[in-house]
Amino acid sequence: MYRKIFIVLAALLLVSTALKAQNKNDFLNEQLAFLQQMYFENQDHADDDFLVEQFELFLKKHPFYRQNDQILWMYGNLLENKKQIARALFQYLKLGVLFPNSALATEARNRIHQLIDQKTPMCLVDCQEALETYIDQSHFHENQIEGLFSVFSLIFSQNLSCFDEPLLEELTLFEQSCHEFDYSQDLLLYWKGILLKRMKKYSQAYGHFKKLQHLFSRSSLLPSALFESSFIAYRHLKRFTQARDGFVRLINHFPDDRHSPLAQFYLAELYAESLDSLNAGIDNYRLFLDAFPQHPLHAQAFKRLTFLYLKAQRYEEAITLIGLNLNRHAGDSSMVALVDSMANVFENTFRKYEMAARCYVLLASQLPPGEKTPYYLYRAARIYYKKMKDRARAEDICNRLTANFADTPYAEKCKLLLKQPIKK
């Protein structure tokens, strides 16, 4: 008897659930019919703002409704009429990916091609190839959430400012529409943080990166979030202690991450410029130079470390650093120019003539023989003779110059230099 009662109750529950589902579908169908009627009657565009609001609300509440292809199509057309091209393009992209078998999907792809051809906004030119390749491909996704993430990833990867605000709006709408365990929250937080940073909303960006670190301590995006939050804290929020702690954590826990070299560089910069710790700045620039000799910021770190040595009056270490880096990067014209400028700084700013002369000798010795070699030798000889009153060393350098570069103007200049009386 109990079994019969259970079966009856189960049947009633199924009927009730089916009726609720049917009622919901009927209600959604009625909403769609209303929006379609309003849309087609809106020939003078007087109701554009109302319809935009209603489409946004519908998509927020019912992100995976089976007839959303029609909603996306009408919404995209409205946005296009309002000259919000980037936002319109989003709707067409979503339509083509989420409803690949819809008759409107082909229309959406055609509209994207037309928008790209119009080149308005101009940033569409920069992503033309990526967009056209994407929309002309067949997309197969296990569910619509995966499809949406595919669209978000495409737009995010283009790194174009005209898409930043529309993408942020789409990510926020998506976040509000789905349950938090339906998608990769760490990735969404990272995207939103980067977009907010691009839009110069630094406090909000910082919060998203910190939230990612707190909630997803095992995420593969953790090193990136650590770097971004630390950089924002340093450069934009002036939270120097938090920035230092973040950079140190990144360097210590993720030494092989792509952000580690930058963290090491900015940590040195932070110590030297903001935390007023000269020795810590020196130590961290040295760590950077030793660990990342091929990094694009290597020359900049070399220059800053040299100036810190000068500021600390550690002149021998400065000249040793110059010799080491010149030897390592002698074929790099920018490094040669940098050492040349450092020699001028030694001579004219700090009046450390010995260091200036040694820089010129290093340049002459470590560079391949060429037209610059006699020039640097002459500069060194002139400093020894004119500034340091050291005739013996000036003669040694001039003899070397005339022996090896007798046909250059600098050989004659050396002869004239040595004929001048040394002023006491």
Side-chain angles (χ1 to χ4, degrees), residues 152 167-175 188 191-192 195:
F152 297 153
L167 178 55
L168 185 61
E169 291 174 358
E170 289 290 332
L171 294 177
T172 302
L173 175 64
F174 174 83
E175 190 176 29
L188 195 71
W191 280 342
K192 290 180 73 176
L195 291 172

Side-chain angles (χ1 to χ4, degrees), residues 326-327 329-333 335-337 339-340 359-373 375-376 400 405:
L326 185 58
N327 182 53
H329 302 287
D332 184 345
S333 59
M335 181 60 67
V336 173
V339 174
D340 194 337
C359 277
Y360 289 126
V361 171
L362 281 170
L363 283 165
S365 301
Q366 297 187 15
L367 293 179
E371 61 180 18
K372 279 287 187 179
T373 305
Y375 163 77
Y376 289 130
R400 174 181 165 188
F405 304 97

Side-chain angles (χ1 to χ4, degrees), residues 243-289:
R244 178 199 62 198
D245 293 346
F247 287 140
V248 169
R249 183 183 171 195
L250 175 57
I251 293 164
N252 290 340
H253 293 277
F254 305 98
D256 297 325
D257 185 78
R258 64 188 178 90
H259 291 102
S260 287
L262 286 173
Q264 183 66 69
F265 177 85
Y266 288 120
L267 180 62
E269 189 176 80
L270 177 62
Y271 273 121
E273 295 182 1
S274 302
L275 295 177
D276 197 24
S277 182
L278 185 60
N279 289 331
I282 288 173
D283 291 343
N284 279 277
Y285 275 128
R286 287 177 59 185
L287 285 171
F288 176 84
L289 290 173

